[in-house]
Amino acid sequence: MARQFHKESRNKLRPTLGSSLFLMFLVALSFAYFAKALSGSYMKSTITQLERRFDIPSYLTGVIDGSFEIGNLLVIAFVSYFGAKLHRPKIIAMGCVLMAVGTFIIALPHFLIGRYKFETSIRSSVNSTNNLSPCPARLLSPSALASGCEGESNLSMWIYVFLGNVLRGIGETPVQPLGISYIDDFAREENAAFYIGCVQTIAVIGPVFGYLLGSLCAKIYVDIGFVNMESITISPGDARWVGAWWLGYLIAGVITLLSAIPFWFLPRSLPIPSDRGPAQCTPERTSFLKDSPLLEHKYQADEPAGFLEMAKDFIPTLKTLLGNPVYFIYLCVTIIQLNSLIGMVTYKPKYIEQHYGQSASKANFLMGTINIPAVALGIFTGGLLMKRLKLSIMGAAKFAFGTSLIGYFLSLFFFVMSCENVKVAGITLDGVSYEERSVFSACNSDCVCSGRDWDPVCGENGITYVSPCLAGCQTSTGSGKNTVFSNCSCVVAAGLSSGNLTASVGHCPHRDDCDRVFPYFLALSVITSFIISLGGTPGYMVLIRCIKPQLKSLALGFHTLSTRTLAGIPAPIYFGAIIDTTCLKWGQKRCGGRGACRIYNTTAYRIAYLGLTMGLRTVSFLLCILGFVLLKQHLQREECSTHRVANGGAELEALRKEEVLASNSDQSLQTSTTDYNSTERETRL
């Protein structure tokens, strides 16, 4: 009696324990999503900082950004396939640890290289308040220039950032496919979409803090605590400013390391909810439906098989997956759309900086506080609407397509929200292409200036000059950001044939037309982000529901592999390469060679950046038409199969009843015969 009581108590406690463990997994996975999203968005917020610190062009920072997907490419297919048959929570835990190590490696170059020495032509005397003349009689000798290169490492330090990001991508691999499949396996049918929507919402909240962290670190000078800030002549809005990019990676690494802890204490599997399990079916129907592709209850992973057996089954399983036309066309559409999305998001802070004249800190702040919350709210609302409206697969596909199409038409208005080029003497005022000879004129002919320097000063006439020497300035007073240049022969006020005005350190304030347009740009950006993200969760559920339960983990993993290989890796590279073609003035490395871009042609930048984004989305919409046709055919085949399964179950039940009736008839006949024989024996007696 006592043993039976304890057994009944365990059975009653099992659902409660399973719910608690599932909730623990949901919270742990949400935190892991938050950590990986924070570090990923922080990487994108430091794009311009990395360009300036390592003197590299945009396409090379695109290579660094795409290295995360290279890490995924190396292992994601095998992790998704083999991981579904192993202990999923512990594999996710190991991935989080690898992500943390990779994030720490990204910050390593700051501690290996010397102090940041930005490009400048201002030469101070021993007394910092009395600067030498900005208008030298001769240029520095090549030997003097080369002396500053002594002790410089020949190793490109951005390689460490590249390798760290690769390792971070390897660690992130199991989080999404194994985490989502774990939720979908052990959640109730009607709650699965809602739970996945919650996790994805938390994943979008991570970039909020990532961009805010990027904004904070961009305000802090890269070598804070090791240099006298009063001697620094640049400000956060300068094209040569580099923030404390390394500090954010240390913080993100610690957070990612903490996210790994809960997964070590979670079980391999959880009790399946009663409404999802085979207990609802009769034994005959359960046996009949076991191999059906339309099986509605959750797929349970098989017991771990041998490695060779799983490896032999991998290729045939992959062929079966890619043979699903709905899955294949969905894959093509998302690859093209993610090319557009990843390229746009990667360089959006830089677009805000260059086109609207905002600092890197403010651009990251606006991304984190305005744009990203709109995306999070859209994803959450989309999951909630799918739960409330109980959308079918076709309904979810139509909903996702409609929201994306509305956002597409609204995005066309970005083309008219333009700004004029910054007024820079010899670059934008005398033409749209930079030529070194165009910065020289009669007003600075008495000075021996270098046309390669980029040390902008703002004249009293509101025009920016490439350097104080090219502005014709003869003297200077003050130090640091308070330096003022006087007797500048090229700084001419309107209506005067010659002038002798002053100039201050830094470029001139940005245009009034941009200040008027920028709020409208932000408002439209928020609206379009919200509308497009509404279809995120419904579109994701289409992917899950159009495949067999046995292929779920592999399908999610291969989807992530394909999109990151064909979108995550190339998109930042070719977007950056196209942006590089719009550069008007390249910076110079200390030891020679082309550095990071200092100023862009804003008109060409806008057309290239927005045109490429919208062009890719246009192609994806054309493929969506074919996708709807294939999805409709797929659903019709499923409906026919379901009808056959139902008829087969009815026939099986009828046969069972006939067998029972026949058995009863035989028993009745046998009983009658026995009674007859007994009566006959009695009569004989």
Side-chain angles (χ1 to χ4, degrees), residues 52 55 119 239-240 354 454 583 585-587 596-599:
R52 297 167 185 173
D55 278 322
E119 178 185 1
R240 297 163 294 171
Q354 299 296 330
W454 176 258
C583 183
K585 176 68 171 72
W586 290 96
C597 185
R598 302 307 185 191
I599 184 174

Side-chain angles (χ1 to χ4, degrees), residues 198-391:
C198 290
V199 172
Q200 290 183 336
T201 301
I202 299 297
V204 180
I205 293 177
V208 174
F209 291 89
Y211 279 107
L212 289 179
L213 181 62
S215 175
L216 176 63
C217 294
K219 289 182 180 179
I220 305 172
Y221 188 66
V222 60
D223 293 321
I224 186 70
F226 296 93
V227 295
N228 181 12
M229 293 302 299
E230 294 182 356
S231 64
I232 302 298
T233 60
I234 57 177
S235 61
D238 195 284
R240 297 163 294 171
W241 175 271
V242 176
W245 59 274
W246 53 273
L247 180 60
Y249 286 111
L250 296 181
I251 297 173
V254 172
I255 294 175
T256 306
L257 192 61
L258 293 175
S259 70
I261 297 176
F263 292 103
W264 295 107
F265 304 99
L266 287 165
R268 180 175 180 268
S269 62
L270 297 174
I272 299 178
S274 58
D275 63 336
R276 301 301 297 269
Q280 292 181 328
C281 305
T282 63
E284 292 84 357
R285 188 181 177 192
T286 302
S287 176
F288 185 82
L289 296 177
K290 183 173 67 174
D291 297 328
S292 172
L294 301 173
L295 189 63
E296 292 295 331
H297 63 74
K298 289 297 181 186
Y299 166 71
Q300 293 177 285
D302 298 330
E303 292 299 322
F307 181 83
L308 292 178
E309 294 180 7
M310 291 190 292
K312 291 179 181 178
D313 193 42
F314 176 72
I315 299 299
T317 305
L318 185 61
K319 289 182 178 180
T320 303
L321 177 64
L322 295 179
N324 186 333
V326 177
Y327 177 81
F328 184 77
I329 199 69
Y330 181 93
L331 194 64
C332 295
V333 170
T334 51
I335 286 173
I336 297 174
Q337 288 189 343
L338 283 176
N339 267 275
S340 173
L341 178 64
I342 292 172
M344 183 269 293
V345 172
T346 301
Y347 294 101
K348 190 169 186 177
K350 183 172 182 174
Y351 179 76
I352 294 175
E353 290 179 49
Q354 299 296 330
H355 196 74
Y356 295 102
Q358 307 297 324
S359 66
S361 176
K362 187 174 182 180
N364 291 329
F365 178 80
L366 292 173
M367 285 286 292
T369 58
I370 296 179
N371 201 273
I372 301 300
V375 175
L377 181 62
I379 291 179
F380 178 78
T381 305
L384 191 61
L385 286 175
M386 187 172 182
K387 177 180 173 64
R388 292 288 178 86
L389 300 177
K390 298 180 180 179
L391 296 176

Side-chain angles (χ1 to χ4, degrees), residues 398-421:
K398 291 180 179 179
F399 184 84
F401 177 78
T403 55
S404 183
L405 191 62
I406 294 172
Y408 172 82
F409 287 118
L410 289 176
S411 298
L412 295 175
F413 289 99
F414 285 126
F415 284 97
V416 300
M417 297 180 178
S418 59
C419 293
E420 297 179 355
N421 287 309

Side-chain angles (χ1 to χ4, degrees), residues 68-184:
F68 177 85
E69 277 70 32
I70 293 177
N72 273 263
L73 171 63
L74 296 175
V75 297
I76 191 168
F78 299 99
V79 167
S80 301
Y81 181 73
F82 296 114
K85 302 175 181 295
L86 303 174
H87 199 300
R88 285 179 282 186
K90 287 188 178 180
I91 294 177
I92 295 174
M94 290 186 286
C96 292
V97 172
L98 284 178
M99 277 196 293
V101 174
T103 307
F104 291 137
I105 292 177
I106 294 176
L108 186 61
H110 173 74
F111 304 98
L112 299 179
I113 56 180
R115 303 287 175 256
Y116 174 56
K117 297 179 181 180
F118 53 88
E119 178 185 1
T120 182
S121 62
I122 301 175
R123 297 170 296 134
S124 300
S125 63
V126 177
N127 185 356
S128 61
T129 60
N130 295 322
N131 294 336
L132 299 175
S133 172
C135 179
R138 61 183 181 85
L139 289 173
L140 292 176
S141 63
S143 60
L145 293 173
S147 62
C149 295
E150 294 178 359
E152 287 286 317
S153 174
N154 293 326
L155 178 64
S156 297
M157 287 295 161
W158 63 267
I159 294 294
Y160 288 96
V161 182
F162 177 89
L163 295 177
N165 211 28
V166 169
L167 186 60
R168 195 173 67 86
I170 294 175
E172 192 267 350
T173 302
V175 177
Q176 180 178 354
L178 300 187
I180 295 298
S181 64
Y182 195 91
I183 290 176
D184 201 47

Side-chain angles (χ1 to χ4, degrees), residues 3-54:
R3 184 179 302 174
Q4 183 178 0
F5 174 78
H6 288 302
K7 184 177 181 180
E8 292 178 355
S9 299
R10 286 196 301 270
N11 292 335
K12 291 180 180 179
L13 290 175
R14 191 171 297 165
T16 304
L17 179 61
S19 300
S20 300
L21 291 174
F22 180 81
L23 181 61
M24 179 180 175
F25 180 84
L26 191 65
V27 173
L29 185 65
S30 299
F31 187 60
Y33 262 66
F34 172 84
K36 76 183 185 68
L38 184 146
S39 58
S41 59
Y42 183 77
M43 162 64 73
K44 294 188 181 298
S45 74
T46 58
I47 286 293
T48 55
Q49 310 294 310
L50 296 176
E51 285 183 18
R52 297 167 185 173
R53 184 63 184 95
F54 300 109

